[in-house]
Amino acid sequence: MGLSSGVLLGVVAAAAAALLLALYLHPHRDMALHPDPSTAAPRPRRVLVVGSGLAGIAAAIEAQTHGADVTVIEKEARAGGNSMKASSGMNAAPTPVQRSLGIEDSAAAFLQDTLRSGRGLADPALAQALAHASAPALEWVARLGAPLEVARQCGGHSAPRTHGLLNGTGVGYHVVSALSKHVAGTIRTKTRLVGLLWRDGAVAGVRVQPADEENGPIEELEADAVVLATGGYSINKQLLELYAPDVVHLPTTNGPWATGDALPLCEEVGAQLHLMDKVQVHPTGFIDPSRPAHSVKFLAPEALRASGGILVDADGRRFVDELGYRDVVTEAIQRHGFALEGGGGHPEGGHLPLRAVPASASAGGVEQRCAWMLLTHEAVEAFGAEKFHFYLNIKHFATAYEDAAAAAAAMGVDAATLHTTLTEYGEGLPEGAADPTGKSVFPCRFSPSERLYAMAVTPAIHYTVGGVRVDPSARVLA
């Protein structure tokens, strides 16, 4: 999951792969935080922010900076939401980090990449706000204690602009933890949004309820402005069945909070819902060898492929540009992928190996299309050895092998084919030749005689693209 641009009050603050919108619901009258002194009430404007991920926290900080009395509502026991799980980075251009690395980039190029990847669905005004606010947002995050030190080129980008960390905590945890320290207002956890107060043709507050009491008392909280940063519905089976039934069978990378609570409430008061059928499937969720059929997957971040990871099928062949658009990589895995057998708990506390089998021949295995992701030591170092240690030695998603032959034997792929794949990829392309998959960026090379890290991955629901339609200031459109 990556973090895109940050927010000023009510403007886009997103996470890569879960794009969050801070939605500024305001009455039809002027709700500026700097009202006309001749008509302003002596009290500070009261702003309610629903959701405490990056979007909500950023909105709360900006509101209080402009003199508002801010309360953040969060249904979980702790703040952070899906933003805490973001792992690849924050997209921004042009930035001091890029300049220090000799990377030429611009907000205009970022905008064009965004529009191109949207394939006609992206709102140009929103995309422009996102791209042109991205560098200031990155600098703002750094000033508040969350600098990002490296820039990688992830799928869909024409330059390395996904800013992240080489080691230490995940990007999302790093950013949200730092920003949360700057929230001066109250953060009410375990409090669920159940309604919007609608008075005189405007949203005037919210209705909330204790999150752990289904029939608990409902409390009305009035406000001059409401910011909704409640996220998407990526784990809400009912909404997925309604809007995107073709992906409802897939596992998800989301926590149990990603239920899209605000969406039907916004629709009730006349807000437009937009692109609700667009659900992004991330091509690489880790298959946990101890629980291979579990419906919630730990994200195998795109930064792994941006650092040099490649994907191979059950025969040991590459089949896709690993840095292509996520839907293209996902479709390729669904077409060329395999089933798995094995896994589960081991009597001695370890994990039984996962082995590739043809999907049609799977007997009691995982009925989902999978691929092998392979990394070299060079790729691990580029990703961050300390971070990869978590996947390798703590979660046991990855396994290290002395060479390609050992990896092939354990994975159940043809050793000769895998040897050829790695040799050809490692030698590079002859002058004037094109990679068979169309790949043009090669972060590192492979050698079949060197240490290899292997992990099984599968597509998983990552985030919902659609939601409430907003303008470039994130004001809800009716």
Side-chain angles (χ1 to χ4, degrees):
M1 180 181 303
L3 303 172
S4 195
S5 293
V7 295
L8 301 181
L9 174 62
V11 182
V12 179
L19 184 62
L20 298 175
L21 288 177
L23 303 180
Y24 180 31
L25 272 70
H26 66 104
H28 294 166
R29 60 185 181 273
D30 179 18
M31 292 306 301
L33 292 176
H34 293 295
D36 183 342
S38 65
T39 60
R43 64 173 178 80
R45 293 288 190 176
R46 188 178 188 198
V47 175
L48 290 175
V49 179
V50 188
S52 67
L54 176 58
I57 293 298
I61 293 170
E62 281 298 295
Q64 73 189 27
T65 298
H66 288 80
D69 176 13
V70 180
T71 298
V72 179
I73 305 298
E74 170 57 53
K75 69 179 178 181
E76 295 299 310
R78 68 172 188 172
N82 266 356
S83 298
M84 294 287 273
K85 301 174 71 174
S87 50
S88 284
M90 181 172 174
N91 299 318
T95 69
V97 172
Q98 289 178 308
R99 288 191 287 272
S100 70
L101 297 172
I103 298 168
E104 294 187 8
D105 200 6
S106 66
F110 187 6
L111 172 60
Q112 289 306 309
D113 288 348
T114 302
L115 294 174
R116 183 166 51 251
S117 67
R119 299 171 200 171
L121 296 177
D123 183 317
L126 295 181
Q128 179 162 321
L130 175 73
H132 286 271
S134 64
L138 188 73
E139 293 172 13
W140 181 75
V141 165
R143 287 199 307 272
L144 294 184
L148 301 176
E149 59 192 9
V150 298
R152 302 182 178 94
Q153 185 167 345
C154 288
H157 294 280
S158 59
R161 65 170 69 102
T162 305
H163 294 70
L165 299 168
L166 189 58
N167 278 305
T169 61
V171 174
Y173 183 87
H174 171 69
V175 173
V176 176
S177 297
L179 267 58
S180 295
K181 297 174 183 177
H182 295 271
V183 177
T186 300
I187 299 181
R188 289 184 52 173
T189 56
K190 298 183 180 180
T191 304
R192 179 175 61 239
L193 175 71
V194 295
L196 299 173
L197 299 182
W198 185 257
R199 294 174 186 162
D200 301 324
V203 171
V206 299
R207 292 186 179 88
V208 297
Q209 184 180 50
D212 53 0
E213 298 179 34
E214 186 174 347
N215 298 311
I218 293 177
E219 180 182 1
E220 292 191 351
L221 304 176
E222 295 187 349
D224 297 300
V226 176
V227 179
L228 295 182
T230 55
Y233 58 93
S234 298
I235 206 165
N236 187 325
K237 294 292 186 183
Q238 183 177 0
L239 290 183
L240 286 169
E241 287 279 10
L242 177 63
Y243 292 113
D246 55 321
V247 301
V248 72
H249 65 286
L250 294 174
T252 181
T253 64
N254 289 262
W257 48 79
T259 51
D261 298 342
L263 296 173
L265 302 179
C266 289
E267 191 173 29
E268 286 176 7
V269 298
Q272 298 178 33
L273 298 187
H274 183 54
L275 299 178
M276 292 289 286
D277 61 326
K278 305 304 178 187
V279 176
Q280 187 184 93
V281 176
H282 197 289
T284 55
F286 282 119
I287 299 288
D288 184 346
S290 69
R291 299 187 301 170
H294 196 264
S295 62
V296 177
K297 303 301 184 188
F298 208 101
L299 183 69
E302 192 160 330
L304 287 169
R305 286 173 281 131
S307 299
I310 63 172
L311 299 173
V312 299
D313 62 17
D315 296 321
R317 295 186 176 90
R318 288 181 61 239
F319 55 88
V320 69
D321 174 2
E322 291 85 0
L323 297 180
Y325 293 124
R326 289 180 179 177
D327 61 333
V328 174
V329 179
T330 293
E331 182 182 350
I333 293 176
Q334 300 286 31
R335 187 169 63 252
H336 298 279
F338 49 83
L340 290 170
E341 63 180 8
H346 190 281
E348 297 179 1
H351 304 292
L352 295 175
L354 295 170
R355 291 178 61 84
V357 295
S360 60
S362 174
V366 182
E367 295 294 341
Q368 56 196 24
R369 296 296 182 266
C370 309
W372 293 113
M373 184 188 295
L374 306 178
L375 275 77
T376 63
H377 179 71
E378 180 186 357
V380 168
E381 290 293 320
F383 174 76
E386 183 180 320
K387 290 191 297 180
F388 191 75
H389 165 79
F390 175 76
Y391 302 137
L392 178 67
N393 297 315
I394 297 178
K395 300 300 289 185
H396 303 290
F397 295 147
T399 303
Y401 299 99
E402 286 304 311
D403 55 25
M411 293 156 52
V413 307
D414 183 74
T417 301
L418 182 61
H419 186 282
T420 299
T421 295
L422 299 184
T423 299
E424 292 179 349
Y425 190 84
E427 291 176 347
L429 298 170
E431 186 174 352
D435 182 80
T437 69
K439 190 171 188 176
S440 59
V441 176
F442 302 87
C444 72
R445 297 297 180 180
F446 281 72
S447 170
S449 62
E450 294 180 356
R451 191 173 183 82
L452 203 62
Y453 299 87
M455 56 223 79
V457 294
T458 190
I461 295 171
H462 194 37
Y463 63 76
T464 49
V465 177
V468 178
R469 187 188 285 272
V470 297
D471 70 9
S473 294
R475 293 172 296 196
V476 173
L477 301 177

